[in-house]
Amino acid sequence: MAKLVTKFKYLKPGARQGRGGYAKYIAIRDGVEKIDDSKRFAPTTWNQKQLINKILRDFPDTKEMLEYEDYLQKQTVESASEFISRAIEDNAAVALNAKTYADYIATRPRAERFGSHGLFTDDGVKVNLAKVSQELNEYGGNVWTVIISLRREDAERLGFDNGSRWRDMLRTQTQALSENLRIPMGHLKWFAAFHNESHHPHVHLIAYSTVESEGYLTKQGVQKLRSSFAKDIFAQDLLCIYEKQTEHRNRLRSESRDVLAKIVSQINAGEYSNPQLEELLLQLARRLSRTKGKKVYGYLKADVKAIVDSIVDELAKDNRISTLYDLWYEQRENVLRTYNSNLPERVQLSQNKEFKSIKNAIIQAAMNLVLDSQQEQGVAEDDVEIQSQHSPMAGNAGIGMNALRLLQQTSQILQNEVRPIYQDKRVDRKLCRKISEKKQAQGLRQG
């Protein structure tokens, strides 16, 4: 079972009344955590204005406070609340003996910090539940819903056992939602609510576009969103996986160097050969010598690509290459297990699009044979005749060395692929700093 369970659906325009009701349900149902703080962006209330006027009369020097300057620039519930609280705090010896100020302190925290529902959205946007529900009922386009769920033990261990943490995480996912729902950032609207269930804390997410014809979520988009959520929630867990894989990679690099050094000595002594690989390289060299245009895999004809694929399959039989490829798959599957219950079937190295660079390394090795023959025969590339397997050329060290170089290049490519997403601690710190700066700019709590 995956650690992160997600469920994606979309609500068609035909079910309009149900969509507004769904928003209300997830916002006010039992178990929802009422973390909506968008009330702070609302205009200053009448009661706040009256209290501020009283403070200014009772404590004229409060006009010099930075909080008062902020209040004058942006007269919102939040700025007024901060000024009132600071003014009372600075004059507590006198203020707390007055009933008006004492009553405010006693009733303020819950009443002004939290709203009457649990629906939240991107920072700086006020959430009016009735308005959101009505808008969804009247909306004529598709609306996507997502449920993201964790086990209680994982939620507590990772700090996702409270609504504020989920809210902060989802706010960093706005770009991923825009890209994978194919909705421009300026048109994307999303709302969510956190349900702190005893065994499986989860959030409900609603997303749609202000333009009714926009938005489309593919299976690949679903996978990318699952991956994006998982990498954020399980960042520390995944970092540990990648660090372990790095240890394996470094050990394999060392072992591969030792093995390849032995092969070099065998070739120099005339003791190394792989007739099948050498014959395939010769076939490819012959075809490339008669091929016009770019000598890269994507531009070749199907039958020439088939020869390249056969060479990749032959290389994959080498124990070192197969070990590295297995390690690459182990790393990939460890990550996929975070948000997928069923792992995709492994494919042959020659069919894996992640390793196209190996194929181009093979093409370059075959082209080296063409150039070698060209130099030996003193003719133009179009006229060069690549000798058969039974010619003296086939038995010299040229083809063998090309085969060795292919093994070395393939090994290095695989080693480079078996790496953590966070390349090293320096990159990790840089990424963390960027996230921290973004959260600080948005006024989010640092996690």
Side-chain angles (χ1 to χ4, degrees), residues 143-189:
V143 175
W144 283 267
T145 67
V146 188
I147 302 174
I148 311 170
S149 179
L150 288 174
R151 294 185 180 90
R152 168 61 61 181
E153 55 268 29
D154 284 333
E156 291 180 351
R157 177 174 58 84
L158 298 167
F160 280 85
D161 55 348
N162 62 85
S164 297
R165 185 68 183 89
W166 282 98
R167 180 188 60 192
D168 293 352
M169 186 277 288
L170 286 175
R171 284 175 174 173
T172 67
Q173 295 292 327
T174 303
Q175 182 67 39
L177 287 170
S178 171
E179 291 175 356
N180 292 290
L181 287 173
R182 301 183 184 181
I183 298 173
M185 285 283 285
H187 298 170
L188 175 67
K189 299 191 75 171

Side-chain angles (χ1 to χ4, degrees), residues 320-376:
R320 294 168 301 280
I321 304 304
S322 61
T323 299
L324 285 167
Y325 192 45
D326 286 342
L327 182 59
W328 180 85
Y329 250 117
E330 274 182 38
Q331 173 183 314
R332 181 171 183 265
E333 290 169 347
N334 280 337
V335 174
L336 290 175
R337 285 190 186 95
T338 306
Y339 55 92
N340 269 343
S341 297
N342 299 317
L343 299 178
E345 186 178 349
R346 292 188 179 190
V347 299
Q348 290 180 303
L349 181 60
S350 62
Q351 303 306 310
N352 194 325
K353 295 180 180 179
E354 298 280 347
F355 296 99
K356 187 178 289 186
S357 53
I358 293 177
K359 297 180 180 182
N360 287 321
I362 289 170
I363 292 168
Q364 185 57 53
M367 286 304 300
N368 288 339
L369 287 178
V370 174
L371 293 174
D372 290 345
S373 292
Q374 179 183 344
Q375 291 173 357
E376 282 187 16

Side-chain angles (χ1 to χ4, degrees), residues 5 9 17 43 78 83 92 104 109 149 217 227 259 272 293 317 400 427:
V5 178
K9 286 188 175 182
Q17 296 302 317
E78 179 181 44
F83 168 65
Y104 175 81
S149 179
L217 182 61
S227 174
V259 173
Y272 176 84
K317 295 176 183 177
V427 176

Side-chain angles (χ1 to χ4, degrees), residues 15-52:
R16 294 186 185 184
Q17 296 302 317
R19 298 193 299 195
Y22 180 77
K24 284 187 175 180
Y25 171 75
I26 66 172
I28 62 176
R29 58 150 283 194
D30 289 343
V32 69
E33 189 169 311
K34 296 178 180 178
I35 63 169
D36 171 45
D37 60 357
S38 61
K39 183 179 178 182
R40 60 194 173 103
F41 303 111
T44 308
T45 66
W46 185 86
N47 286 335
Q48 284 181 317
K49 290 179 179 178
Q50 295 304 306
L51 188 55
I52 288 173

